[in-house]
Amino acid sequence: MDHFPIFLSTKGQRIVLSGGGDAALAKLRLLMKSQAKISVYAPEPAPEITAWAEEGRLTLHRRPLRLGDVLCAKLFYAADEDETEDARTAAIARAEGALVNIVDNLQDSAFITPAIVDRDPVTIAIGTEGAAPVLARAIKADLEERLPATLGTLARIGKGFRKVADALPFGRPRRDFWRDYYFNAGPHAVAEGETAVEGALHTLLDDHLSRAARPGHIAFVGGGPGDPELLTLKARRALDEADVVIYDRLISSEILELARREALMIDVGKEGFGPSTSQDTINDLLVEHAQGGAQVVRLKSGDATIFGRLDEEIDAVDAHGIGWHIVPGITSASAAVAAIGQSLTKRTRNASVRFLTGHDMKGFADHDWAALARPGEVAAIYMGKKSARFIQGRLIMHGADRATPVTLVENASRPDQRILETTLDRLPTDLADANLTGPALTFYGLAPRAAARLAPEILKEEMA
Ligand code: SAH
């Protein structure tokens, strides 16, 4: 970060600008939103500038800038759109102690003016270090669209109400109140005018004051296969509201970023067959934090109800009468099958699909191999890497065709996604050669669709 963003107090401060053309106009329109005293030096000012001077919004000097003109000014803008003149005025301003900005000259400027989204008192500044003004404008347009024009009004009225709302206990009760105001009661009332908003604030405060303290609660949330865009809106909201997040190894850092900054983050990463936080410890953590009154998110990869030992955790919290709910997620099989351009079921091929685990608590899991060995069957095998040889053996023993397609998708939906296409016959050898180190989903009975096979990088791009 070359340029460090700050919000500068300009109330009653002097800001000087040299120039009277288009560049000057653009800067002045922004500067006049501030409370600064603005002086403009321009021998031939645009008519708008003359008009603003007549309205008393700035002071106009119809002459070039000279020594002494920038004394006591905070900021100076060189906006003559003439390299020599800009260099001359900037040198004066620097000598007289102002921070200098030369329009369209990043190199010689001490500061830059960001793109601004103005919902006063909410102000958003967007900078790209001069790298991509187009991008800054696109982000600005996006935010303009997303933030209602009434946001400023809501924030201004809300600011006046802060002291009154301090009647609520610090922390979650206060946060809940303000969230309710900005996203619910406020926007509803604002169409009817400021008095209605003030009325709504009082009603809302009474309501929140009379609410019993919210008891601790656990949301079992499916975090999806890794791509943060594959989180559900409900998962995002749960993360946004959580006091405590207890998460697994496969949860990506981009997703953890979405939790509140104050939230307590607890890593209980479990590695298949490897060292792990014991299930009892996880259960105890859940109970302990919920009993302490926290809103807990138990974040599991994919969908929490698939091979996630969810029931053991629910039983543990149920035993203590703690409230909970489940937020479904996109399971890795869904992301992986999308990556190979296939569908999990297909008319005339397979009318059912099995979700299998390659290992259970006792070791390799046993299944109805005879049924699976029939032609056309499809299975999505989780945790199937270490058990590949075992699975191959069982299926062949029950008469499966050695040429049955098998596809592994490693790191599905993540930037480092890889696809390994093989057959039942070659599975263990190809798998050893490929050296897949990330989580992988094994599809028995599915090959990547031809198009996906030809252009894996295109598919990857679509995922990114
Ligand atoms: N509840 C999870 C599964 C947990 S078991 C879900 O619904 O996806 C862990 C196994 O899931 C891993 O061993 C791997 O087989 C699979 N898995 C999880 N994330 C994956 C990903 N991004 N790509 C491929 N497989 C993944």
Side-chain angles (χ1 to χ4, degrees):
M1 201 188 282
D2 259 355
H3 289 80
F4 185 73
I6 53 166
F7 287 89
L8 193 71
S9 168
T10 52
K11 199 167 186 170
Q13 302 289 340
R14 247 190 117 215
I15 297 180
V16 176
L17 179 142
S18 172
D22 285 346
L25 281 174
K27 289 288 180 243
L28 286 170
R29 281 199 187 92
L30 271 184
L31 289 172
M32 285 187 317
K33 290 175 186 259
S34 76
Q35 310 279 317
K37 288 192 219 142
I38 304 165
S39 300
V40 178
Y41 291 83
E44 290 165 26
E48 289 94 329
I49 300 180
T50 318
W52 291 330
E54 277 161 15
E55 289 165 22
R57 298 176 72 186
L58 49 80
T59 314
L60 174 62
H61 306 268
R62 288 169 181 275
R63 61 167 174 80
L65 185 97
R66 2 179 235 256
L67 271 179
D69 285 340
V70 195
L71 283 172
C72 300
K74 276 253 148 125
L75 303 179
F76 174 74
Y77 285 87
D80 281 285
E81 298 167 79
D82 174 294
E83 220 172 291
T84 322
E85 180 62 358
D86 282 344
R88 185 188 74 82
T89 61
I92 294 177
R94 277 190 208 104
E96 294 179 357
L99 272 180
V100 169
N101 174 275
I102 304 176
V103 174
D104 285 337
N105 180 348
L106 183 69
Q107 189 98 23
D108 298 327
S109 293
F111 70 95
I112 47 182
T113 320
I116 294 171
V117 179
D118 177 13
R119 296 285 186 272
D120 188 44
V122 178
T123 315
I124 301 168
I126 305 152
T128 62
E129 304 278 15
V134 177
L135 184 61
R137 271 197 295 279
I139 297 171
K140 175 178 150 82
D142 193 35
L143 288 172
E144 295 272 9
E145 222 168 86
R146 232 182 293 177
L147 300 177
T150 49
L151 187 71
T153 314
L154 289 181
R156 191 167 36 75
I157 301 173
K159 192 174 168 193
F161 200 76
R162 283 196 84 94
K163 285 243 153 49
V164 189
D166 283 355
L168 282 163
F170 181 77
R172 170 162 289 281
R174 239 181 254 179
R175 271 204 313 275
D176 284 350
F177 168 78
W178 286 113
R179 182 187 299 276
D180 226 358
Y181 168 63
Y182 280 112
F183 296 102
N184 187 14
H188 280 116
V190 76
E192 290 157 45
E194 299 206 1
T195 336
V197 177
E198 277 156 18
L201 269 171
H202 283 284
T203 316
L204 192 65
L205 182 61
D206 287 346
D207 175 27
H208 278 252
L209 281 170
S210 64
R211 266 185 211 181
R214 197 157 141 191
H217 183 94
I218 299 171
F220 293 99
V221 176
D227 178 354
E229 291 196 37
L230 291 179
L231 275 177
T232 64
L233 295 176
K234 281 205 170 157
R236 274 209 72 151
R237 174 169 305 193
L239 275 175
D240 197 41
E241 290 180 358
D243 301 308
V244 179
V245 179
I246 302 178
Y247 63 95
D248 286 341
R249 183 180 57 96
L250 289 179
I251 298 295
S252 63
S253 54
E254 292 97 317
I255 287 174
L256 295 176
E257 281 287 311
L258 298 172
R260 273 193 316 120
R261 216 179 295 177
E262 305 83 24
L264 175 64
M265 308 296 287
I266 305 176
D267 177 0
V268 292
K270 282 203 273 190
E271 192 134 10
F273 295 113
S276 63
T277 309
S278 80
Q279 189 61 53
D280 283 345
T281 310
I282 297 176
N283 297 352
D284 290 348
L285 279 170
L286 287 168
V287 170
E288 179 194 322
H289 286 286
Q291 281 184 332
Q295 303 301 307
V296 180
V297 161
R298 173 68 177 110
L299 191 57
K300 291 170 175 286
S301 74
D303 183 88
T305 71
I306 295 180
F307 306 130
R309 301 186 70 174
L310 178 63
D311 300 77
E312 293 161 61
E313 298 181 10
I314 290 179
D315 287 347
V317 302
D318 259 348
H320 291 85
I322 295 164
W324 55 270
H325 72 288
I326 300 173
V327 178
I330 292 185
T331 187
S332 42
S334 296
V337 82
I340 61 170
Q342 287 289 8
S343 54
L344 284 171
T345 62
K346 186 180 174 190
R347 255 159 37 115
T348 73
R349 184 190 62 204
N350 64 314
S352 68
V353 57
R354 287 185 179 75
F355 286 17
L356 310 183
T357 170
H359 80 88
D360 60 17
M361 279 181 293
K362 289 184 231 82
F364 296 137
D366 242 317
H367 300 283
D368 185 354
W369 303 111
L372 204 54
R374 289 196 296 258
E377 292 294 320
V378 170
I381 308 172
Y382 293 69
M383 293 169 278
K385 274 189 304 181
K386 290 209 171 71
S387 48
R389 189 172 287 281
F390 169 81
I391 292 170
Q392 181 207 38
R394 289 292 149 115
L395 284 165
I396 291 176
M397 195 170 87
H398 285 87
D401 184 349
R402 285 174 177 270
T404 308
V406 173
T407 307
L408 279 98
V409 183
E410 184 196 31
N411 294 316
S413 89
R414 302 175 184 226
D416 48 359
Q417 170 178 294
R418 281 203 293 169
I419 296 169
L420 173 65
E421 185 186 354
T422 178
T423 58
L424 186 58
D425 191 33
R426 298 197 324 260
L427 171 62
T429 25
D430 282 357
L431 187 55
D433 289 348
N435 188 28
L436 305 182
T437 51
L441 207 288
T442 309
F443 286 118
Y444 167 75
L446 283 183
R449 197 183 288 273
R453 198 182 293 141
L454 283 174
E457 65 285 356
I458 291 176
L459 275 175
K460 253 189 217 170
E461 247 175 47
E462 275 173 15
M463 321 268 337

